[in-house]
Amino acid sequence: VLDFNDPFSTEVKPRILLMGLRRSGKSSIQKVVFHKMSPNETLFLESTNKICREDVSNSSFVNFQIWDFPGQIDFFDPTFDYEMIFRGTGALIFVIDSQDDYMEALARLHLTVTRAYKVNPDINFEIFIHKVDGLSDDHKIETQRDIHQRANDDLADAGLEKIHLSFYLTSIYDHSIFEAFSKVVQKLIPQLPTLENLLNIFISNSGIEKAFLFDVVSKIYIATDSTPVDMQTYELCCDMIDVVIDISCIYGLKDDGTGTPYDKESMAIIKLNNTTVLYLKEVTKFLALVCFVREESFERKGLIDYNFHCFRKAIQEVFEVRMKVVRSRKHQSHVHKNPRPTPNGTPRMPL
């Protein structure tokens, strides 16, 4: 059931629209990021022929709806209520196949962005320049520059320079798609400034080089400290999470197969051969903190663990506040949908 018009559900669960021409890779992105499908398996996916909605509720913070739109659907047809689609949408991801002629995709992008902006100026417009694994480094940069230039020129010609488009080079064959989705999701998390501030305080008092707050299931990082993100560092963190979960599935369960591979006791230390230590600790049952620490700083592990305890407590408080807001909005939604009748039988108007 397509319920586009529930303002309370979209506030609690922001909506992400996945759009683009046919065969641009939209469904493959969704399967790889959220269903752990191997990139090679996506070669056998059938083309999407209807709008697919999926609730992504893997963690306390990664909590949204994805709407995958088939490329052949003309949702600007008069019989299609596109205003309902864009109203309440948090982000619109438009996927462009970098290995194809992208002129038609740019024309569709311009039409989509301009219509969506008129309905909802608060939408974040995210452009995935996809399938760049088949391009050389120079060709990647040139393609991004060309698409960036043409898309912004089209908006300027229409007098819409104030619309901001974010561009990402992505591929399902490396971690770039997870990095791009992380950036998209972070814009939809109202607690992001609080989380970043907590991470900054934590690393500055613990002698830590870099820290990520990961959603363990999707490997999306929902926050990091204010130091720049290095792609190689991010890939190492993703690989560490895979290792921890795989080993925990083998050795972390009870003899009868009960229990969970990831719980409040989950912790891992990996020492790299460049005097760096990777340190993972469980924050909530869906979130993990992954830190990069110099060996000499890691000698003060007691201090790091004490600061982590304070950090986890603060994160839980943030989460509790969020749950109160969610419960309040659910109650409001219920009141609006089911107004109590007055004694004479007429519906009572909600205040």
Side-chain angles (χ1 to χ4, degrees), residues 113-247:
V113 167
T114 50
R115 294 279 183 92
Y117 184 78
K118 285 176 184 173
V119 176
N120 181 3
D122 296 325
I123 292 179
N124 295 307
F125 295 107
E126 319 287 350
I127 318 304
F128 285 9
I129 303 169
H130 197 48
K131 303 183 184 177
V132 296
D133 49 277
L135 308 181
S136 66
D137 288 344
D138 289 343
H139 197 176
K140 284 181 194 176
I141 295 167
E142 180 59 29
T143 300
Q144 183 176 16
R145 188 199 62 77
D146 189 41
I147 291 175
H148 186 283
Q149 185 73 43
R150 290 175 184 273
N152 283 316
D153 284 350
D154 287 344
L155 290 175
D157 291 343
L160 295 167
E161 299 97 330
K162 57 189 171 186
I163 297 179
H164 176 70
L165 306 178
S166 299
F167 295 86
Y168 310 85
L169 293 171
T170 60
S171 168
I172 57 174
Y173 290 95
D174 58 30
H175 290 86
S176 59
I177 191 63
F178 294 96
E179 162 83 359
F181 241 105
S182 296
K183 296 284 179 62
V184 172
V185 169
Q186 284 168 26
K187 294 178 185 178
L188 304 179
I189 298 174
Q191 299 86 357
L192 183 64
T194 305
L195 299 178
E196 288 180 347
N197 190 37
L198 288 172
L199 284 165
N200 284 332
I201 295 168
F202 172 67
I203 68 165
S204 63
N205 288 292
S206 307
I208 289 170
E209 302 280 314
K210 184 73 182 164
F212 294 91
L213 191 59
F214 269 95
D215 170 40
V216 175
V217 177
S218 67
K219 289 187 293 190
I220 285 174
Y221 71 93
I222 64 166
T224 184
D225 58 86
S226 55
T227 60
V229 174
D230 173 53
M231 196 63 185
Q232 191 176 12
T233 303
Y234 174 64
E235 288 176 9
L236 279 170
C237 292
C238 288
D239 291 342
M240 183 183 193
I241 290 172
D242 284 338
V243 169
V244 170
I245 297 300
D246 288 347
I247 292 178

Side-chain angles (χ1 to χ4, degrees), residues 202 281-283 289 304-312:
F202 172 67
K281 293 270 283 182
E282 186 259 12
V283 178
L289 184 71
I304 294 173
D305 286 345
Y306 174 77
N307 288 339
F308 171 78
H309 174 74
C310 299
F311 172 80
R312 178 157 61 179

